[in-house]
Amino acid sequence: PLFLFFSLFRWRHQLNPPTYEDEYRAVRARRKNKAMMKDSAVLFALEYRPAYWWFEVWSLVRRFFLTALLLVFETLESCTLYVLFAVLGMLVLEREWSANLDAYLVNIQYTLNLQILFAVLYMLLLDAGMLDGELAAEDTTGLTTLPVFISACLLVFNITLV
């Protein structure tokens, strides 16, 4: 992530031109810069709104926070609390930022973040013993298929939530 950040940081003024107030004019202008387009790191920033040229670095850091950083915690309780608050915080931040140029991709990203949150909540319910028994098997099926159904609806019908 650091190498990508420093590679993008060199081009920050071209990726987010300060003279353009209109985002779409800035997007067109930055695609015309031939020298910048030769740098392969820049390709990661082009799918995001100009002010969020760094968002791919955030995406990598987020993955690190949700995977490798979990090894730091010694108890299940502290790890669970960290994951719950990290997922909620990232969900709110990414929804507020809406960094992708395409609103459709923003919705897909939001839905995927919701699925991560639902997975954490589902595991909490399992650990608490609230999903035991025959009736719980039916509830579990409903809990696990709802996020998949929501994602499928967004993909098929191209519904925008923004």
Side-chain angles (χ1 to χ4, degrees):
L2 282 176
F3 178 74
L4 179 60
F5 177 77
F6 289 125
S7 297
L8 293 174
F9 189 77
R10 288 184 316 143
W11 298 105
R12 69 187 180 282
H13 296 298
Q14 288 82 12
L15 288 169
N16 185 20
T19 56
Y20 292 102
E21 291 180 12
D22 182 21
E23 267 185 356
Y24 295 103
R25 286 185 58 218
V27 168
R28 285 193 301 268
R30 69 183 182 179
R31 291 186 187 272
K32 291 179 184 177
N33 187 337
K34 302 257 189 248
M36 181 181 70
M37 295 300 285
K38 289 180 182 177
D39 188 356
S40 59
V42 169
L43 298 177
F44 289 107
L46 293 179
E47 66 184 78
Y48 301 110
R49 294 177 15 210
Y52 299 100
W53 54 267
W54 46 265
F55 196 77
E56 188 65 31
V57 175
W58 163 255
S59 180
L60 292 171
V61 170
R62 177 180 60 97
R63 291 176 189 157
F64 173 75
F65 283 160
L66 290 175
T67 55
L69 196 60
L70 296 177
L71 299 173
V72 172
F73 298 97
E74 295 180 8
T75 64
L76 178 63
E77 293 83 8
S78 62
C79 183
T80 304
L81 282 174
Y82 165 75
V83 168
L84 191 59
F85 286 115
V87 167
L88 279 172
M90 291 173 194
L91 177 73
V92 170
L93 283 176
E94 290 185 11
R95 183 65 178 169
E96 289 298 314
W97 288 335
S98 298
N100 282 317
L101 284 170
D102 188 4
Y104 180 66
L105 292 176
V106 170
N107 291 328
I108 296 297
Q109 182 179 14
Y110 183 61
T111 307
L112 293 175
N113 283 337
L114 277 175
Q115 286 182 0
I116 294 171
L117 179 63
F118 286 152
V120 172
L121 293 175
Y122 175 70
M123 287 184 271
L124 282 173
L125 291 174
L126 279 177
D127 285 343
M130 297 175 78
L131 297 178
D132 293 336
E134 192 173 310
L135 180 62
E138 296 171 11
D139 293 341
T140 303
T141 304
L143 282 172
T144 55
T145 57
L146 181 64
V148 174
F149 178 73
I150 292 171
S151 296
C153 286
L154 287 173
L155 286 171
V156 171
F157 299 113
N158 195 9
I159 299 169
T160 55
L161 301 173
V162 191

